[in-house]
Amino acid sequence: MSAKERAVGAAGGAAEQVEAVAAVVRGDAALLEDDLAEFLGSLTAPATVASQSVYEGALRRSLYEPVADAVGSKVGQEALPPTADAPGGNRAPLRPSMVYWAYRNYRGFPHETGSEAFSADMAVVRRAAVAVRVMLKAFVAIDDIQDGSEVRYGEPALHVTHGVPLALNTGSWLIAAVLRHAADPAVVDSLVRAVENGFTGQAVDLSTRTAETRAELIAAPLEERAAYWESLAALKTGTLFRMPLDSALAGLRVVEDEQYVLDAAMRQLGLSSQLFNDLTDFVPEFGGGRIHEDYDGLSNRVFLELLDQDSSNLTGERLKAYVLGHPKLESTLRALAGEAVRLKREAKESVYRVCRSDLSAAYFDLTIERKGHLIDRLHETLQQRSGA
């Protein structure tokens, strides 16, 4: 039986097996939440700072409080709803991590590994999972400043509540803190590469707002525009998918061949996710409060598909009207939504090939499909909207 067939069997097989995998996912996610709380406590209440001092008050206002706000946000990422009798109890919703999927795939499930809380590999994974989660929060704080985003997932952005200087300092400081926390040299090296890729992608994204890059993109053939978008999305969104797995694979010393397969799969998932993000700006059912807002640059794939020489001087409301009134808009949305579904499907099939068991495949599905099901629903919605 192939890994894909095993995965299908796990997803649709005996209810007790699915429930058993879900329990492990919840247990790992609850452990990550505990570790995050401990990490945050170590950052915001160091024993070396004198109690009630002027210095302590200044440091708490200018660093500890924005750090707590940045790391403590629970909004945005799809989560497992709280359940009273599950690991983590009825507290805040739990968010699974691909770092723990890697551990389960390559080191086994609790019934296979026995006592693992203090194993060397588990210790590396626990620190890597915290580092990845906090690194993502740091990226968000800095990205919102650069993009001028005042709201993040329905909450005020960090720079709105604490000001740009403190938000920028907080994001930068968190990056340094988590690199130190990760400890394992291989994990740290993986995270440093992720930071480099993320900031490289952000530089390319910011370039789309300049007159020079806009002119070059509009003059370029569609194939080159698509390649530009793909390179940008792989660096920005792709890095967010690859970073958790890359750090875990580095810490667990997984063989290079499987690292390559998983890296390519995460790149595809990143592209699929970015297509979803680009398309939701045109679909009220998914766009929420951001519908028709992201028209400042040319990093949106839909724009790059529709713009031509006649639209080279369009900006602001005129650009918005041009895109929304384009005769090929609906067909372009459907085609790109289909591409997002294809990329997600192919990525999952690649991961199934390196899954060690049907339990591992089911764990992966439970983790990825928190957002993956939305990609499928978007495609279905667009098809229904057009009567296709």
Side-chain angles (χ1 to χ4, degrees):
M1 183 182 292
S2 70
K4 180 181 179 182
E5 291 170 332
R6 290 200 305 271
V8 173
E16 60 269 20
Q17 185 182 61
V18 175
E19 291 177 4
V21 173
V24 176
V25 174
R26 283 186 174 277
D28 291 343
L31 183 60
L32 173 53
E33 295 301 326
D34 290 340
D35 288 343
L36 279 167
E38 182 178 348
F39 174 75
L40 181 58
S42 72
L43 294 182
T44 58
T48 56
V49 178
S51 177
Q52 303 302 318
S53 69
V54 174
Y55 174 74
E56 178 186 26
L59 195 59
R60 194 164 300 281
R61 289 188 299 271
S62 63
L63 185 61
Y64 300 157
E65 290 179 2
V67 163
D69 286 348
V71 177
S73 172
K74 303 297 295 181
V75 181
Q77 187 182 19
E78 287 288 322
L80 300 171
T83 304
D85 59 350
N90 57 1
R91 63 182 176 184
L94 298 173
R95 286 156 175 79
S97 169
M98 285 299 294
V99 176
Y100 277 95
W101 172 82
Y103 181 86
R104 294 303 170 198
N105 189 54
Y106 291 102
R107 295 297 184 268
F109 284 71
H111 71 279
E112 300 167 327
T113 60
S115 178
E116 62 185 12
F118 301 103
S119 72
D121 283 343
M122 176 57 89
V124 169
V125 162
R126 288 176 66 171
R127 298 178 78 87
V130 169
V132 165
R133 181 65 62 79
V134 178
M135 184 77 79
L136 293 174
K137 298 292 188 179
F139 285 168
V140 164
I142 296 172
D143 185 77
D144 283 344
I145 294 170
Q146 294 172 319
D147 291 344
S149 301
E150 296 189 356
V151 176
R152 169 65 68 164
Y153 301 127
E155 295 180 342
L158 192 68
H159 68 91
V160 172
T161 56
H162 293 279
V164 170
L166 288 187
L168 179 59
N169 190 70
T170 298
S172 303
W173 188 84
L174 281 173
I175 291 173
V178 297
L179 290 175
R180 173 171 47 83
H181 180 78
D184 183 279
V187 176
V188 172
D189 181 65
S190 171
L191 292 173
V192 168
R193 283 186 278 110
V195 172
E196 180 182 7
N197 287 338
F199 283 130
T200 301
Q202 185 68 352
V204 178
D205 190 4
L206 293 172
S207 178
T208 61
R209 304 176 190 180
T210 66
E212 295 87 348
T213 301
R214 289 175 67 90
E216 291 172 354
L217 279 172
I218 291 173
L222 179 57
E223 294 77 10
E224 187 171 346
R225 284 189 243 169
Y228 178 95
W229 175 90
E230 187 170 312
S231 297
L232 168 58
L235 285 168
K236 286 199 66 178
T237 312
T239 293
L240 304 183
F241 279 83
R242 290 151 64 188
M243 180 170 61
L245 257 187
D246 285 350
S247 63
L249 300 179
L252 296 172
R253 308 313 194 254
V254 173
V255 296
E256 288 187 3
D257 287 349
E258 293 198 6
Q259 286 189 34
Y260 177 79
V261 170
L262 290 170
D263 184 72
M266 292 304 104
R267 184 179 188 277
Q268 286 182 300
L269 282 175
L271 295 178
S272 178
S273 179
Q274 188 57 56
L275 278 173
F276 174 84
N277 293 342
D278 288 357
L279 291 168
T280 55
D281 199 42
F282 298 87
V283 186
E285 299 93 315
F286 294 83
R290 289 181 54 82
I291 190 72
H292 299 162
E293 285 189 0
D294 189 14
Y295 283 82
D296 291 334
L298 292 185
S299 56
N300 188 304
R301 177 68 180 272
V302 179
F303 301 166
L304 296 176
E305 293 280 335
L306 298 179
L307 296 183
D308 55 30
Q309 295 291 341
D310 294 335
S311 57
S312 59
N313 295 320
L314 297 180
T315 58
E317 289 299 316
R318 293 176 61 207
L319 175 59
K320 174 180 175 179
Y322 173 86
V323 174
L324 292 178
H326 200 288
K328 294 184 178 179
L329 175 61
E330 287 298 320
S331 61
T332 299
L333 296 179
R334 290 196 303 273
L336 293 178
E339 184 178 344
V341 171
R342 176 186 63 80
L343 286 166
K344 188 196 72 163
R345 181 182 64 248
E346 292 178 356
K348 292 180 65 173
E349 289 173 350
S350 295
V351 174
Y352 291 152
R353 289 199 294 271
V354 301
C355 282
R356 295 296 195 264
S357 68
D358 55 355
L359 297 178
S360 173
Y363 193 121
F364 174 75
D365 282 343
L366 282 170
T367 302
I368 289 300
E369 284 302 326
R370 288 173 300 140
K371 181 172 182 178
H373 76 282
L374 295 175
I375 294 172
D376 296 330
R377 281 178 50 202
L378 175 63
H379 186 221
E380 293 167 3
T381 297
L382 287 168
Q383 287 183 310
Q384 293 170 359
R385 197 163 81 174
S386 65

